[in-house]
Amino acid sequence: MSNSRNLVTPISVGVAVVCAAWAIHATQHRDAPASGPPQAGAMRSNAPAFVTLAPVRSERVSQKLEALGNARANESVDVSSKTSNIVTAVKFRDGERVKRGQVLVQLDDAQVRAEVAAADAAVTESESQYNRSRELLSTQALSKSSFDQLEATLKSNRAKLAAAQARLEDTVIRAPFSGRVGLRRVSVGTLINPGSVITTLDDTSVIKLDFSVPENFLAALREGLTVRASAPAFPGRAFAGKVAGIDSRVDQATRSVTVRALLANEDGALKPGMFLNVALANDERDALVIPEEALTPEAERQYVFVVADGKAERREVRIGGRRPGTVEILAGLAAGEKVVIEGTQKVRDGSAVRAAEKNVDFVPAPVEAASHEASASPPSLHQ
């Protein structure tokens, strides 16, 4: 028994020594990485971020307002008759160009010519009596009251003759201005009434283009602004013109004002009633522009990262109009400064960066300010 106890004691001591040695070894290996050299991930986190820069440039820009406009003829009228009568001759062809004063339609004038002849005879007789009465009045063979009555009769007959001649003139319907007639809607023998449309007449050498502009652009509108219009019927063709007038009232329902431009149309390509796409450029000025990807929005504010001396500075900017790929800067930047356009998510205010500059080609196109469509029904005057 005493020998067994003597044997257990050295074994227990040996086991205790082994456990203590294992604990010391484990502790040393666990603490070794903390005291060792930094790992690759830590080295990368302290390295400067690599970004791409673009310069702030000064460009010539302008606002561009886009709208849909209604084409109208420079002059337009429905040709009709003032009286009820029968058509005796049609003296124009469908779609023909006519000149001012040219006869378009002849109406039956037989009765009116008879009235003119009767009125002319009455005037002749009245003039004869009037001339004889003046001689009698000078010799006091005729009273002054009788002379005055003969004079009044003469004036009345002359007025009746003028009225009959006017009715005779109304039997000939003429073109009130030069232009192109439409399709004729009467034939010889047709009984027409006042207001009945015989044909249409349009002067399309100049087209009036009406379109609506939001009221917040009123300050930038003025006569003489350049307008460019295009029509789906003529792809790739642009029609140039200028603003000729601005309506005196703002529509309370749409909060817009009607603008009228004049477009040259010598070849007659544009027709009254066509819809045209309108581009109105105004407010041409020098402005600072940057690539749109440089912006980092936060709530309602816009920020950019400006790089100088290898460090990034977060700066708030105020933006203006936009165009594809670029944005106008109203405040916060100066021409020539460098802004981060790639790698903004890796940059912090004041952090060091490694930068490469990228050449960005700015397209000299107008800055888009708004897009507004005119109503399909022509507004009262975008007359």
Side-chain angles (χ1 to χ4, degrees), residues 290-296 303-305 339-341 344:
I290 62 172
E292 198 168 17
E293 57 265 34
L295 296 177
T296 55
Y303 295 88
V304 297
F305 284 100
V339 294
V340 177
I341 60 172
T344 54

Side-chain angles (χ1 to χ4, degrees), residues 4 14 21 29 40 108 121 131 168 171 184 209 217 229 252-253 255 260 274 302 308 360 365:
S4 299
H29 279 271
D108 183 15
N131 292 332
L168 179 61
T171 62
R184 66 184 179 98
L209 180 60
F217 287 95
Q252 293 183 357
R255 311 312 305 177
R260 169 167 291 174
M274 292 178 64
Q302 298 286 347
V360 180

Side-chain angles (χ1 to χ4, degrees), residues 93-333:
R93 297 187 304 274
D94 295 345
E96 180 185 3
R97 291 198 64 86
V98 297
K99 295 182 178 181
R100 179 180 180 181
Q102 180 176 330
V103 177
L104 302 178
V105 173
Q106 176 68 56
L107 303 179
D108 183 15
D109 61 358
Q111 182 177 350
V112 182
R113 285 187 180 278
E115 294 174 357
V116 170
D120 186 51
V123 168
T124 301
E125 182 182 1
S126 296
E127 287 178 345
S128 177
Q129 292 180 0
Y130 176 76
N131 292 332
R132 288 196 303 269
S133 64
R134 283 196 303 180
E135 296 175 0
L136 295 174
L137 181 63
S138 62
T139 60
Q140 296 183 352
L142 182 70
S143 65
K144 183 66 168 63
S145 61
S146 297
F147 176 80
D148 292 342
Q149 185 176 2
L150 290 173
E151 184 179 21
T153 301
L154 174 60
K155 291 181 179 179
S156 175
N157 289 336
R158 284 176 176 173
K160 290 178 181 179
L161 175 60
Q165 290 173 336
R167 289 194 297 272
L168 179 61
E169 182 65 24
D170 289 342
T171 62
V172 181
I173 300 177
R174 304 176 184 272
F177 51 83
S178 300
R180 188 180 296 276
V181 295
L183 303 177
R184 66 184 179 98
R185 305 180 189 181
V186 298
S187 299
V188 174
T190 301
L191 175 62
I192 59 175
N193 297 310
S196 299
V197 177
I198 297 171
T199 187
T200 57
L201 176 62
D202 296 302
D203 173 14
T204 57
S205 59
V206 174
I207 288 292
K208 294 176 180 176
L209 180 60
D210 293 347
F211 56 96
S212 296
V213 174
E215 64 176 338
N216 54 315
F217 287 95
L218 272 175
L221 292 176
R222 67 181 185 279
E223 294 183 7
L225 287 178
T226 301
V227 170
R228 297 185 69 83
S230 60
F234 303 100
R237 180 175 177 181
F239 299 88
K242 292 185 179 298
V243 173
I246 303 169
D247 198 0
S248 59
R249 297 182 180 182
V250 174
D251 190 302
Q252 293 183 357
T254 61
R255 311 312 305 177
S256 61
V257 65
T258 302
V259 178
R260 169 167 291 174
L262 299 181
L263 308 179
N265 189 40
E266 291 85 356
D267 60 352
L270 299 178
K271 306 293 183 185
M274 292 178 64
F275 278 115
L276 299 178
N277 297 310
V278 187
L280 173 65
N282 60 22
D283 194 20
E284 188 175 357
R285 65 198 183 280
D286 291 321
L288 298 178
V289 292
I290 62 172
E292 198 168 17
E293 57 265 34
L295 296 177
T296 55
E298 183 177 308
E300 297 181 354
R301 297 183 177 183
Q302 298 286 347
Y303 295 88
V304 297
F305 284 100
V306 181
V307 174
D309 299 328
K311 290 190 176 182
E313 175 192 351
R314 187 169 183 258
R315 191 181 299 176
E316 182 179 357
V317 295
R318 185 160 57 91
I319 65 174
R322 294 174 182 261
R323 67 188 183 194
T326 61
V327 60
E328 179 187 5
I329 299 299
L330 301 179
L333 292 175

